[in-house]
Amino acid sequence: MDLNPPAGENYGHPKICFFHVVFKAAALAFYILSTLFVDSFVIIFVTTVLLAALDFWVVKNVSGRILVGLRWWNEINDEGESVWKFECLDQ
């Protein structure tokens, strides 16, 4: 892995990489800094959980599919059993 890419190298999906990091940073920053502005633990907790849920959705449905080529979901078959489906991008 080349840790020093050549100057002027363009990445394929910079916006997706940005949002991949933004929701993680937003949840962490809100949790750390919210006690300066909000006194209610419930509001802090609910907002932090919502930001973490948005982060999970972005990582699972956007970053995982576009950047890495992985998808997964759960289906219920005819017998009522939970079946996990996994897909990966063909090389």
Side-chain angles (χ1 to χ4, degrees), residues 4-22:
N4 297 318
E9 180 178 335
N10 293 328
Y11 294 99
H13 303 286
K15 291 178 186 175
I16 294 171
C17 292
F18 173 75
F19 284 108
H20 181 83
V21 173
V22 162

Side-chain angles (χ1 to χ4, degrees), residues 2-60:
D2 186 14
L3 297 178
N4 297 318
E9 180 178 335
N10 293 328
Y11 294 99
H13 303 286
K15 291 178 186 175
I16 294 171
C17 292
F18 173 75
F19 284 108
H20 181 83
V21 173
V22 162
F23 286 115
K24 291 176 188 347
L28 184 62
F30 182 81
Y31 180 72
I32 292 172
L33 300 174
S34 61
T35 57
L36 299 173
F37 306 107
V38 181
D39 291 331
S40 174
F41 173 76
V42 174
I43 292 173
I44 294 170
F45 180 78
V46 169
T47 306
T48 303
V49 168
L50 288 175
L51 288 169
L54 286 172
D55 171 54
F56 175 78
W57 183 85
V58 166
V59 169
K60 179 187 178 300

